[in-house]
Amino acid sequence: MPTAILYIRVSTGAQAARGYSQRSQLDRLEKYCRDNNVKIYDTVYEDCSAKSFNRPEWKKLFSLLKTKKTGVDMLLFTSWDRFSRSIIDSYTMIEKLKALGVSVQTVDHPVDFNTVESKYRLAIHFAESEAENARLSERVKRGILKAKQEGKWIGKAPLGYQNRQTSNGMKYIALKEPEAKLLKKAFEEVAKNIFSVGDVYSQIVSEGLQCSRSNFFRLLKNPIYCGKIRISESDTGREYDIDGVHEPLISSVLFEKVQEVIEMRQRKTSKRKIICEELILRGFLSCPECGKSLTGSASKGRSKKYHYYHCHPGCHFRRRADEVNLQCVEFLKKLKANEPYAALVGMIQENIKTASDLKNEAERAQKASMVERFSDKMVNAHDLFVKGDIDYDDYLLIQSNCKRQIKTCVEEVQQLAVLSKTVPFQEVSCILDKLYDFYKEASIEVKREFISYILPEKTTLLEGGFDEMINEPTRIVFNIKSSNPKQGDEDNGAGSFQVMDEKYLAFIEDYFTEKKMAQPANVKNIVIFLKKITLLIIRG
Ligand SMILES: [Zn+2]
């Protein structure tokens, strides 16, 4: 059974409320302990601000825990703002306590400290606890809902609009150029349904709209642009739109049309991904008789379906797909990387890892400091509002803006966490020796991507099989001899070659010089090829 010390803190403010606050905190803490089977060792009362841990009762408590004689393994608070208001201080303190075998937990917002995102979740609690625990929390919520129901946009104006104020102090949002014009054009282009939403985005950005891709997709779904305010489900139990008092950017008809197009396109893209395994090489091969690219289809035999790769009408060339696929598999089974390329892959892999780790680390640190800045800003705004230095509308504006920013940061950090999880660092060079094992377990998309790396841009289907058909880098890396080394292949994206790769070239050069062998001519293509394969293996 865990043993806890309950910590109750009241701020040195309203005298009358103090007694009430203490009792209410104690009630909740005791209930938590009963419900979760936690033994109570002691209860500590503090009457001090949470600006730092330099509080008399806290210092005594901490010295007591340092003796490790209590058997206490948990400090329990009602909410995070009872613990501290500074994220940095909190984290330092949490680490110190952890070293003493003591965990910190709250009744209102339990945080699982074993996950990467916990720090950011905690940051949000810090930011939000101010509003939640404050006397005016309910008033704030009610105020926002009431304003929305009156058709007013609350908070920072969305892209294309700006916050304004009438001469008698009424706040409203008004169209802002040139963003409004550009966004309107974006809605119109998406509705035409000629280009993909992504293409429309690129075009509008090139014309000067400053907006992230994900935000752009979100904006297209926001009914604010056709003059409506959305009341969310969490506010009233059901979601609905009401007419806003602001000037619409586009008509409701255009807005609905855009929603339709977005939905339709989403359905389409998810459908297109289905490729059939029986025709896995479809799209890679061209006809040995006329040179056109081969397509594929199934035809019904007496007892089962047969799949064929065949040419277009007018040319009668066709081959049984299962036979060609089998040739491909037989070829893949014998692939084994040659020195020095197997060693080179180790280097490439190391580089990819370092680069992505560094990038992740830097981004994470940046997000963390942003979260902290916005939390501070929120707490500040609250203080200013209570003191009467800013008015209610400004307070709401700052608060909703900060919350949105924090939420975005947290989402981005969560994405980073996913990314770094998908880079398990197995021995890629080992896999290069047993490529077929990797291939056969891979998804059909990864299989096709792999095939696209080993075949030239245009691959004529040859009787001699894949030994004859593969591109030059594959031939060299896996040491495949050909009786007929003639497949046009000089491109392979050498244009994307980067300066960073110079050291790979040096490595290869040293190797061949040492062995007194002639170095292959298109080493750059080989490095690019290996890099693509390495990335695929890491991802796949
Ligand atoms: Zn043909």
Side-chain angles (χ1 to χ4, degrees):
M1 190 195 276
T3 305
I5 291 182
L6 311 182
Y7 184 88
I8 292 173
R9 188 181 65 75
V10 290
S11 48
T12 48
Q15 286 283 348
R18 211 180 294 172
Y20 171 74
S21 171
Q22 279 183 356
R23 273 194 308 281
S24 138
Q25 287 182 51
L26 183 62
D27 285 350
R28 277 192 290 159
L29 291 170
E30 285 180 342
K31 180 174 186 310
Y32 179 92
C33 292
R34 276 197 305 277
D35 293 349
N36 294 279
N37 223 1
V38 176
K39 194 174 140 202
I40 300 171
Y41 178 87
D42 195 7
T43 304
V44 174
Y45 294 89
E46 185 92 77
D47 191 354
C48 192
S49 125
K51 288 240 148 62
S52 75
F53 283 101
N54 196 8
R55 313 167 203 157
E57 293 303 322
W58 181 268
K59 284 200 268 188
K60 276 189 235 163
L61 173 61
F62 193 69
S63 328
L64 175 70
L65 291 173
K66 268 205 273 193
T67 63
K68 294 189 180 181
K69 282 176 186 158
T70 58
V72 165
D73 42 23
M74 187 196 253
L75 276 183
L76 195 60
F77 304 80
T78 51
S79 62
W80 287 108
D81 69 335
R82 300 296 107 190
F83 182 55
S84 167
R85 277 201 199 163
S86 151
I87 298 170
I88 293 177
D89 283 357
S90 298
Y91 256 81
T92 319
M93 186 52 80
I94 287 169
E95 288 304 317
K96 279 185 193 165
L97 290 167
K98 205 167 147 190
L100 299 172
V102 179
S103 69
V104 179
Q105 203 50 272
T106 73
V107 174
D108 290 351
H109 292 285
V111 169
D112 176 3
F113 286 99
N114 296 318
T115 68
V116 184
E117 305 88 35
S118 61
K119 184 168 182 177
Y120 304 95
R121 293 234 177 81
L122 187 58
I124 285 204
H125 294 320
F126 274 112
E128 290 189 341
S129 61
E130 267 308 309
E132 278 174 18
N133 293 341
R135 303 178 291 281
L136 55 116
S137 161
E138 271 312 306
R139 195 184 127 202
V140 168
K141 278 190 201 152
R142 275 202 308 276
I144 291 178
L145 182 60
K146 185 163 169 289
K148 278 185 180 173
Q149 280 167 335
E150 285 168 4
K152 288 180 193 150
W153 175 263
I154 292 298
K156 189 174 182 293
L159 194 67
Y161 285 94
Q162 57 191 322
N163 297 92
R164 299 281 288 275
Q165 205 175 88
T166 63
S167 53
N168 57 8
M170 280 274 292
K171 303 205 169 159
Y172 68 103
I173 56 170
L175 292 173
K176 178 173 184 259
E177 300 298 352
E179 290 87 345
K181 198 177 71 215
L182 288 166
L183 264 177
K184 189 172 179 191
K185 187 173 173 193
F187 273 103
E188 286 164 353
E189 286 301 316
V190 171
K192 282 183 198 160
N193 199 13
I194 300 170
F195 299 108
S196 72
V197 180
D199 287 345
V200 173
Y201 169 72
S202 312
Q203 194 197 334
I204 292 294
V205 164
S206 75
E207 288 179 26
L209 188 73
Q210 287 187 358
C211 175
S212 75
R213 204 183 160 85
S214 57
N215 193 30
F216 181 74
F217 278 77
R218 253 199 313 276
L219 292 180
L220 291 178
K221 294 180 186 167
N222 192 341
I224 184 92
Y225 294 109
C226 65
K228 299 212 185 322
I229 301 282
R230 180 155 290 171
I231 311 282
S232 65
E233 208 183 321
S234 60
D235 287 338
T236 57
R238 73 187 173 94
E239 184 184 278
Y240 60 97
D241 296 343
I242 60 163
D243 290 332
V245 294
H246 62 281
E247 183 186 346
L249 176 74
I250 55 166
S251 69
S252 306
V253 180
L254 178 57
F255 182 76
E256 287 310 321
K257 175 79 193 151
V258 166
Q259 305 315 303
E260 244 171 63
V261 170
I262 291 174
E263 231 171 76
M264 202 178 62
R265 283 198 173 265
Q266 268 167 356
R267 251 178 284 140
K268 231 191 206 163
T269 38
S270 53
K271 228 181 220 169
R272 217 183 311 160
K273 277 186 183 148
I274 303 165
I275 321 158
C276 105
E277 186 103 22
E278 283 82 5
L279 294 171
I280 190 165
L281 296 169
R282 181 150 119 185
F284 294 127
L285 309 171
S286 51
C287 174
E289 283 168 22
C290 73
K292 281 190 188 148
S293 55
L294 296 178
T295 179
S297 65
S299 66
K300 261 194 201 130
R302 244 170 300 171
S303 56
K304 59 179 260 194
K305 266 188 183 177
Y306 292 97
H307 290 84
Y308 289 92
Y309 296 116
H310 58 82
C311 201
H312 291 78
C315 171
H316 295 291
F317 179 84
R318 70 169 194 176
R319 285 275 305 277
R320 277 274 292 275
D322 53 356
E323 290 170 11
V324 180
N325 294 347
L326 185 66
Q327 275 188 337
C328 179
V329 164
E330 290 304 327
F331 170 78
L332 293 174
K333 276 184 182 166
K334 65 182 183 191
L335 288 185
K336 191 169 168 14
N338 240 353
E339 283 302 333
Y341 307 110
L344 192 58
V345 162
M347 268 174 83
I348 290 175
Q349 182 192 10
E350 204 49 52
N351 259 332
I352 293 170
K353 179 167 162 51
T354 318
S356 77
D357 279 357
L358 284 177
K359 196 163 153 272
N360 273 352
E361 217 24 73
E363 279 183 33
R364 212 171 277 175
Q366 192 210 352
K367 299 291 173 228
S369 80
M370 276 172 75
V371 166
E372 234 156 85
R373 236 180 25 242
F374 287 116
S375 325
D376 282 353
K377 217 170 147 189
M378 263 174 97
V379 173
N380 263 339
H382 178 253
D383 291 345
L384 289 173
F385 174 65
V386 170
K387 273 192 261 162
D389 290 349
I390 57 173
D391 69 21
Y392 181 56
D393 281 353
D394 288 326
Y395 168 62
L396 289 187
L397 195 78
I398 296 169
Q399 202 198 36
S400 73
N401 185 27
C402 290
K403 269 196 188 177
R404 198 159 34 95
Q405 301 277 12
I406 291 175
K407 192 161 164 272
T408 312
C409 286
V410 172
E411 281 167 5
E412 282 166 358
V413 167
Q414 283 169 342
Q415 277 169 8
L416 281 180
V418 172
L419 266 185
S420 54
K421 258 182 226 153
T422 54
V423 188
F425 244 71
Q426 330 105 309
E427 283 290 318
V428 178
S429 356
C430 244
I431 294 177
L432 268 189
D433 276 349
K434 290 174 280 178
L435 254 178
Y436 182 68
D437 289 345
F438 164 75
Y439 176 85
K440 76 176 179 219
E441 299 298 332
S443 70
I444 183 152
E445 287 82 13
V446 170
K447 281 180 179 163
R448 279 178 58 88
E449 197 169 337
F450 180 69
I451 291 168
S452 78
Y453 295 159
I454 65 168
L455 293 178
E457 194 90 327
K458 196 168 174 276
T459 311
T460 308
L461 180 57
L462 296 174
E463 281 302 322
F466 283 75
D467 282 28
E468 309 291 334
M469 287 154 57
I470 50 166
N471 62 21
E472 206 50 31
T474 313
R475 194 175 298 291
I476 293 172
V477 169
F478 297 104
N479 199 22
I480 307 287
K481 302 278 186 289
S482 162
S483 51
N484 176 25
K486 258 280 131 310
Q487 282 265 21
D489 172 51
E490 282 317 317
D491 56 340
N492 242 312
S496 62
F497 195 77
Q498 288 165 3
V499 187
M500 174 188 124
D501 298 324
E502 292 297 338
K503 65 166 167 274
Y504 304 142
L505 298 187
F507 176 82
I508 294 188
E509 200 176 295
D510 288 351
Y511 178 87
F512 282 98
T513 315
E514 207 173 282
K515 300 262 167 183
K516 298 192 172 65
M517 282 158 64
Q519 190 181 320
N522 52 352
V523 182
K524 281 189 179 188
N525 283 346
I526 293 170
V527 172
I528 292 168
F529 169 78
L530 285 173
K531 213 166 168 180
K532 283 184 188 167
I533 302 252
T534 308
L535 277 170
L536 185 68
I537 291 174
I538 292 168
R539 273 193 290 126

